[in-house]
Amino acid sequence: MPASKRAIGIGVVFLCVAGTLAIGHAIKAPCAHGDWSDGRPYTWLCHTDIIPLFGNEQLYGDRLPYLDPCAETDGTCDEYPILTIWMMRFTASVAGPENTRFFYANAILLWLAALWTAYGLYTVVGGRRALYFALAPTLAIYATLNFDLLAVALATGGTVAYIRRRDVTSGILLGLGAAAKLYPALLIIPFVVGRFRGREPDRGIHLIWAAAGTWIALNLPFALAGTTGWLEFFSYNSSRPADWDSLWFLVCEQATGLGCTNTRLVNIGSLVLFLGWVAIVWAIKGRRQPGFPRWTLGFPILVLFLLTNKVYSPQYSVWLLPWFALALPNLRLFIAFEAADIAVFVTRFSWFGLLDERHNGFAGSPLGAFEAAIFVRALVLVVCVVAWIRRREPPPELEP
């Protein structure tokens, strides 16, 4: 890469990531310590899923995820993919029976994942564009809200390997990513299409086999030895209703006032809308710029998945951060997305505070403000897809 593209060095990028994560930890720290009965996740906006998941996933004691049955509870257990649930099991074994130590054990791994993601971006787009990830306010908010940075690091590594024409490595990393969070599997589609279009079908086939083989190698033993537990992730997500942050919730709430009650219809509708819009965007981009690198379709595919899916958990937005650096380095749109996403986060948890009867008198945001934020974020993401379609500046391409 020319020196001009590296005007900002990797040390500066790492310092920016560290600063962003430090700010994020300052936000999350009140919820990593103390009793949540005072409503601090809502009043301090410090919520993290990691603390309650220690108990909800029943990670204490000798229980092994998937292999040992969950105790009878009102919640769901073993609903995470294999790589994520076993990372939690590992950190639980290190932390012992203390959820604060469990939080910090996971936080360290997630912070390392963020640094790895920033490094991967730096190697292909340089320091300036890597700052789209390193300085993202939502990285601060979501880095330790859940475990998605693990999948983000693997997906970014797979993308970097693909750009560097290391297709087997790319497939392995995407397979690992899909074992942590299924979304990296979506990237296999544009990557393989790119190889076939470039008249390198063998490379595309190698990528597919590497990804599928990695995912199967990790999952098959547990599918055979702990079938019921292993299937819990799939059954939970198929029966899960439309989530608060999704457009499905917004539409159903406005139409019925009861949310989306027909989960099967929502599942089918999500799939049809996703496939349809991907085909439309793909076709329009192909007409405008026939030779565009097909791997960059990863950006609109992820955006359209989030817009059409019945679940858009807050931390899912970190999936997109590396792609602003890779495929849409538009500062104005990035700032607009960050502002809208922060608004969704603030109004979401502030509204949750209103719903909690233990905290009467809490001055939280009304449902209408939350719904408005969801709509504005969706609108910004649509504009981002349009901007990607119109964009003609070539994305990073490296020699073998």
Side-chain angles (χ1 to χ4, degrees):
M1 180 180 293
S4 61
K5 289 189 177 182
R6 293 192 173 179
I8 296 177
I10 187 61
V12 174
V13 173
F14 280 163
L15 283 175
C16 290
V17 173
T20 301
L21 295 176
I23 293 171
H25 182 58
I27 296 171
K28 289 288 185 286
C31 285
H33 305 273
D35 184 0
W36 286 17
S37 62
D38 60 1
R40 63 184 61 190
Y42 315 128
T43 56
W44 293 46
L45 297 176
C46 62
H47 178 82
T48 171
D49 292 336
I50 296 176
I51 292 291
L53 282 173
F54 180 72
N56 294 346
E57 291 297 323
Q58 301 180 22
L59 298 169
Y60 43 80
D62 297 325
R63 196 190 78 82
L64 299 178
Y66 300 163
L67 301 179
D68 296 328
C70 299
E72 293 289 336
T73 64
D74 294 332
T76 304
C77 180
D78 286 347
E79 81 270 24
Y80 279 82
I82 185 169
L83 205 59
T84 299
I85 194 71
W86 276 92
M87 183 184 86
M88 286 192 269
R89 185 66 186 86
F90 168 74
T91 52
S93 66
V94 172
E98 171 57 54
N99 57 9
T100 296
R101 292 178 61 186
F102 176 70
F103 171 84
Y104 282 108
N106 284 286
I108 290 171
L109 294 181
L110 294 169
W111 293 335
L112 291 174
L115 291 168
W116 170 256
T117 301
Y119 173 75
L121 293 172
Y122 173 82
T123 63
V124 293
V125 297
R128 187 176 301 276
R129 280 166 63 169
L131 296 182
Y132 279 94
F133 176 82
L135 291 177
T138 52
L139 175 62
I141 294 172
Y142 298 134
T144 53
L145 189 144
N146 203 286
F147 301 92
D148 289 60
L149 272 182
L150 174 62
V152 169
L154 293 168
T156 303
T159 304
V160 171
Y162 180 85
I163 296 171
R164 291 184 173 279
R165 297 177 60 79
R166 298 171 184 170
D167 297 278
V168 172
T169 301
S170 176
I172 291 172
L173 289 171
L174 292 178
L176 290 171
K181 200 85 175 183
L182 287 182
Y183 94 84
L186 296 173
L187 302 178
I188 296 173
I189 301 169
F191 290 5
V192 171
V193 168
R195 291 298 184 234
F196 273 75
R197 181 175 174 79
R199 298 181 180 180
E200 298 178 305
D202 288 350
R203 285 183 171 273
I205 293 171
H206 292 160
L207 192 154
I208 292 174
W209 279 113
T214 300
W215 189 88
I216 292 171
L218 287 174
N219 282 271
L220 186 59
F222 293 92
L224 296 176
T227 305
T228 302
W230 180 79
L231 286 173
E232 180 59 36
F233 167 75
F234 300 96
S235 61
Y236 169 73
N237 282 283
S238 64
S239 60
R240 187 177 182 179
D243 196 48
W244 309 105
D245 299 67
S246 69
L247 285 177
W248 282 100
F249 170 78
L250 179 60
V251 171
C252 292
E253 179 68 23
Q254 291 295 323
T256 68
L258 300 173
C260 300
T261 56
N262 191 331
T263 302
R264 184 171 182 273
L265 180 62
V266 171
N267 290 341
I268 296 173
S270 297
L271 180 61
V272 171
L273 287 171
F274 171 64
L275 295 177
W277 278 111
V278 167
I280 291 170
V281 168
W282 193 330
I284 295 173
K285 180 69 171 179
R287 289 196 198 101
R288 287 182 56 87
Q289 188 183 358
F292 81 94
R294 264 48 184 182
W295 69 265
T296 63
L297 276 163
F299 177 73
I301 284 176
L302 292 182
V303 170
L304 292 170
F305 178 80
L306 291 174
L307 290 178
T308 58
N309 194 37
K310 67 178 182 179
V311 177
Y312 189 157
S313 293
Q315 75 279 0
Y316 287 6
S317 289
V318 297
W319 303 358
L320 300 178
L321 297 183
W323 285 92
F324 277 101
L326 290 165
L328 189 66
N330 184 312
L331 184 58
R332 290 183 179 179
L333 289 179
F334 178 74
I335 292 174
F337 169 68
E338 288 291 290
D341 203 42
I342 291 172
V344 171
F345 172 81
V346 171
T347 55
R348 178 191 211 261
F349 286 100
S350 185
W351 176 54
F352 282 2
L354 288 178
L355 298 179
D356 193 330
E357 297 178 353
R358 296 175 300 174
H359 312 299
N360 292 329
F362 172 62
S365 298
L367 175 60
F370 178 38
E371 292 178 333
I374 293 173
F375 177 79
V376 171
R377 180 179 65 182
L379 183 61
V380 170
L381 287 175
V382 169
V383 174
C384 287
V385 172
V386 173
W388 174 83
I389 292 173
R390 295 170 60 87
R391 175 178 163 80
R392 287 187 175 275
E393 179 186 340
E397 293 284 1
L398 301 183
E399 295 297 325

